[in-house]
Amino acid sequence: MEPPEMINAGELVLKRWEPEWADEAAAAVRESLPELKPWLPWATDGYDRAAASAYITMSVQGWAEGTEFNYAIFTTVGELIGSIGLMTRFGPGALEIGYWLRTPWAGRGHMTAAVRVLARVALSLPGIERVVIRHDEANGASAAVAAKAGFVEVGRVAAEPDGTRTDVLRELRA
């Protein structure tokens, strides 16, 4: 099972992460920290080129191992506007989608478009029956993207690691 390295999504292009994008990735995360920090533990004030490079290295390794397939999201004119990926954390028959978007591009439907196309690709892979999105119940932006992309709530679980928050599980089935 391996998704394509590049996916065209209308006004967006999803491309497998490459090391030369580390500087722009770090800039995108730093620019978007106010929106990312409440939800993503890796989004810290210290996020820099080294952190972005480590993420890209991990992405390359995960792709080779078949455990995660992470993409940079670009506009058709080449602006790096976010990241999206498929992960195998939910076990056989399922792939989880995770995502974040650079702040200036939020609210324009870009992430919904990226999630739709990646979910369609995921469901076309051999043995994949469902795609899952897990988000904090208080994360209205992620909830809106998942709902607009057709994902249906299937449950709620205690958020890790402290269990004081609740995560919503949403699925899209083949």
Side-chain angles (χ1 to χ4, degrees):
M1 169 187 70
E2 185 169 314
E5 294 191 14
M6 185 175 79
I7 302 168
N8 289 313
E11 297 179 11
L12 304 175
V13 179
L14 283 56
K15 295 181 181 179
R16 183 176 169 178
W17 276 102
E18 295 186 18
E20 60 265 23
W21 303 332
D23 287 328
E24 191 60 22
V29 169
R30 282 193 310 273
E31 178 180 355
S32 306
L33 282 174
E35 290 76 27
L36 300 179
K37 281 170 74 171
W39 320 116
L40 302 170
W42 53 262
T44 65
D45 291 334
Y47 199 92
D48 58 8
R49 184 186 199 294
S53 290
Y55 170 75
I56 294 169
T57 298
M58 179 202 69
S59 294
V60 169
Q61 182 178 355
W63 197 295
E65 293 170 354
T67 57
E68 55 187 69
F69 307 95
N70 294 314
Y71 296 89
I73 304 171
F74 291 94
T75 65
T76 55
V77 295
E79 298 166 298
L80 175 63
I81 67 167
S83 185
I84 190 167
L86 295 169
M87 294 146 290
T88 59
R89 295 188 282 224
F90 278 87
L95 287 171
E96 178 185 5
I97 292 184
Y99 47 86
W100 63 268
L101 195 65
R102 199 170 191 168
T103 300
W105 282 270
R108 301 184 195 182
H110 294 311
M111 189 53 75
T112 301
V115 167
R116 280 183 181 141
V117 74
L118 192 56
R120 192 167 51 247
V121 166
L123 290 170
S124 74
L125 295 172
I128 300 302
E129 301 165 356
R130 64 191 177 106
V131 180
V132 180
I133 292 176
R134 180 178 181 155
H135 65 83
D136 189 297
E137 70 178 343
N139 187 339
S142 280
V145 165
K148 288 177 188 174
F151 284 71
V152 176
E153 183 175 334
V154 295
R156 292 176 179 245
V157 296
E160 297 171 12
D162 64 7
T164 61
R165 298 165 82 171
T166 300
D167 281 349
V168 177
L169 300 175
R170 297 176 184 263
E171 286 186 358
L172 185 66
R173 291 191 168 263

